[in-house]
Amino acid sequence: MNKTTTSNFHNKSKQLPPIKTEKPDPSIIKLSDEKKYIALSRQDFNNSIIQKWGEIIINKLPIRRTNHVSFIYDNYFYIFGGRDINETKMNDMYRVKLDFSEESNEKWEKINYEGKIIPNCVSGHKGLLIGNLLYIFGGVNITERANNKVYIFNIDDRRWEEREFSESEVLPLSSHSMSLVGNLIVVVGGYSKGQFNEKTFLYDYENNIWDYYPKDKYEDEKEEEKKEENEKEENEKEEKEEKNSNFPENEKNKRDGKKILEKNKSFNKLINNINNKMTFSDNTYNRRTGVRKYYKQKKSRDYH
């Protein structure tokens, strides 16, 4: 049984038609006399029968790179960041107009940023275009350390906005995936501090709030402990406020206490003086009686 099935399989595979290798369609290719160029490729999905890739050869301007972000806006193809052949990170942005006609002579154009905020050189980051805003998250810098910042680039104004977060809100990530679901940016996978990320992060970009799933094992207990600590701190603050509000009454009590102590001290002195006098008189009385007893004993000895 096995031999027949395998032989039939090989016979069927031999009967398949050979794959045709066609030359690129000149209508979607722009040739260049220069040897140095940056090549863009596209696939023609309009033809349902033959789907093929074409190459758009454009004069070289940007440095060759990988692990960058690319997107299309207003019929322009943009690239941002990435690393070159020497593993050098970049934070530059270029664009080129997508004109597939033979007469076009489009070239790469460097985007000059406006304002003081400019992202760090980064590679392995992800980008997402929402309207005219480009959201960039994560990636590694020149020291190969991942970050958890969100940069927002306004394409029309050419200005950047920076949003910083703590690691308790979102982990520093690189080589992750990022998609838009409703009003949430969903971040999945990637690396964080040399380890695989198992959490899914959700970013509400309108309200600037992060959340993640699944939660830690003892996340509920940690939250309860935090609540208890916050309640204790609030109670301590309330007690301090009450003490501060009763400041004059406390001062009055302190003064009254001092007066009572002073009275007790004077009273104790009086008692001590009385005791001293009583002991003095007792001592004199004992001395007198002792002298009398001594003379009486002496007289009796002399008489005998």
Side-chain angles (χ1 to χ4, degrees):
M1 294 291 289
N2 293 330
K3 290 181 180 179
T4 57
T5 54
T6 53
S7 62
N8 291 332
F9 175 77
H10 287 297
N11 292 330
K12 288 180 180 179
S13 63
K14 288 178 181 178
Q15 294 174 1
L16 292 173
I19 299 172
K20 293 181 180 180
T21 56
E22 297 182 359
K23 293 182 180 180
D25 188 351
S27 64
I28 59 171
I29 294 180
K30 180 189 171 188
L31 298 175
S32 174
D33 296 332
E34 297 183 3
K35 293 181 179 179
K36 295 180 179 180
Y37 58 85
I38 293 289
L40 299 179
S41 298
R42 74 179 182 118
Q43 189 172 9
D44 187 4
F45 291 100
N46 295 325
N47 191 343
S48 60
I49 300 172
I50 300 173
Q51 295 180 355
K52 54 188 176 181
W53 285 94
E55 192 175 46
I56 308 166
I57 301 173
I58 301 174
N59 295 331
K60 180 182 178 182
L61 183 58
I63 301 171
R64 290 180 296 174
R65 64 191 66 201
T66 183
N67 295 333
H68 55 280
V69 164
S70 62
F71 61 96
I72 296 174
Y73 176 75
D74 196 17
N75 204 33
Y76 277 90
F77 180 80
Y78 289 77
I79 61 172
F80 167 72
R83 65 175 70 191
D84 63 9
I85 195 170
N86 297 318
E87 299 294 324
T88 303
K89 279 74 173 178
M90 295 170 280
N91 64 349
D92 53 358
M93 183 180 291
Y94 290 87
R95 75 174 185 175
V96 64
K97 191 172 184 180
L98 297 177
D99 187 356
F100 304 112
S101 63
E102 293 182 1
E103 294 79 12
S104 65
N105 189 21
E106 299 298 334
K107 293 183 179 180
W108 286 96
E109 174 192 355
K110 185 175 182 180
I111 303 298
N112 296 318
Y113 304 138
E114 300 290 339
K116 296 181 180 180
I117 299 174
I118 298 174
N120 296 323
C121 296
V122 67
S123 169
H125 51 296
K126 297 298 174 183
L128 197 61
L129 186 64
I130 303 175
N132 66 333
L133 300 178
L134 172 67
Y135 285 78
I136 298 292
F137 172 72
V140 293
N141 56 19
I142 56 175
T143 60
E144 295 295 331
R145 292 186 64 182
N147 73 86
N148 61 350
K149 293 181 180 180
V150 173
Y151 287 98
I152 305 170
F153 182 66
N154 190 315
I155 301 174
D156 298 330
D157 297 339
R158 298 190 175 187
R159 291 181 180 272
W160 287 97
E161 177 189 348
E162 180 182 359
R163 296 180 181 179
E164 294 184 359
F165 303 95
S166 64
E167 291 189 12
S168 61
E169 294 175 290
V170 59
L171 292 175
L173 293 173
S174 64
S175 302
H176 49 281
S177 66
M178 195 162 73
S179 303
L180 181 64
V181 180
N183 64 337
L184 296 176
I185 295 176
V186 182
V187 178
V188 181
Y191 296 93
S192 179
K193 299 180 180 179
Q195 296 180 352
F196 289 104
N197 170 43
E198 298 178 352
K199 296 179 179 178
T200 298
F201 292 93
L202 308 175
Y203 179 54
D204 184 352
Y205 61 90
E206 292 178 347
N207 299 312
N208 196 28
I209 298 173
W210 281 97
D211 198 2
Y212 63 91
Y213 296 94
K215 300 290 186 180
D216 296 334
K217 278 185 177 180
Y218 306 103
E219 191 69 22
D220 295 335
E221 294 181 2
K222 289 179 181 178
E223 288 181 359
E224 288 180 0
E225 288 178 358
K226 285 182 180 180
K227 286 181 181 178
E228 290 178 358
E229 290 178 358
N230 293 330
E231 288 178 358
K232 285 181 180 179
E233 290 179 357
E234 288 178 359
N235 292 331
E236 289 177 357
K237 286 181 181 179
E238 288 178 357
E239 289 178 358
K240 286 180 180 180
E241 288 176 357
E242 287 179 358
K243 286 181 180 179
N244 292 329
S245 62
N246 297 328
F247 179 76
E249 293 182 3
N250 293 331
E251 287 295 321
K252 185 180 179 182
N253 293 332
K254 286 179 182 178
R255 291 170 184 171
D256 293 340
K258 285 181 180 179
K259 289 180 181 179
I260 292 168
L261 288 173
E262 289 175 357
K263 288 181 179 179
N264 289 333
K265 284 180 181 179
S266 60
F267 182 73
N268 290 329
K269 284 182 181 179
L270 181 64
I271 291 171
N272 289 329
N273 290 331
I274 293 168
N275 289 331
N276 290 331
K277 288 179 180 178
M278 289 177 68
T279 52
F280 177 77
S281 59
D282 289 340
N283 290 331
T284 52
Y285 175 76
N286 292 331
R287 285 175 186 171
R288 289 172 183 172
T289 52
V291 169
R292 288 175 182 173
K293 287 180 180 179
Y294 172 76
Y295 280 113
K296 283 183 179 179
Q297 289 176 358
K298 190 175 180 183
K299 283 182 180 179
S300 63
R301 286 175 186 171
D302 293 338
Y303 177 76
H304 290 293

